[in-house]
Amino acid sequence: MYESQTLNAFIFDHCNKSMDNAVSAERYPLWKRACPGLNDIGFIRLGMLRCISLVDSGRHFFTGSRRGS
């Protein structure tokens, strides 16, 4: 049975599991992003949240997410 968790926690867990699966299947060197302040899981999580959020733009999303932090 699934345990009850927030949407944010579910997305975070899903991203971690997906990243582990992708890294274990990786045949080539890992792609390096030029953003040392945001790890890969955070990048994926924010991308998923941006896609499902009711916002007008990326700037609107980041302004709202900073206020909610």
Side-chain angles (χ1 to χ4, degrees):
M1 199 99 221
Y2 294 104
E3 68 180 57
S4 178
Q5 58 186 168
T6 65
L7 178 61
N8 195 29
F10 176 80
I11 290 173
F12 184 76
D13 289 344
H14 177 74
C15 290
N16 276 313
K17 289 176 187 172
S18 296
M19 187 64 138
D20 288 343
N21 290 341
V23 168
S24 67
E26 184 70 39
R27 295 184 198 139
Y28 305 101
L30 291 176
W31 176 57
K32 299 289 184 188
R33 291 184 304 104
C35 182
L38 186 62
N39 64 21
D40 290 337
I41 298 299
F43 179 78
I44 294 168
R45 184 180 141 275
L46 285 173
M48 290 180 70
L49 288 173
R50 167 62 177 99
C51 291
I52 63 174
S53 295
L54 297 174
V55 293
D56 297 326
S57 67
R59 178 177 287 194
H60 183 206
F61 172 75
F62 280 114
T63 301
S65 66
R66 286 184 183 160
R67 287 183 188 155
S69 299

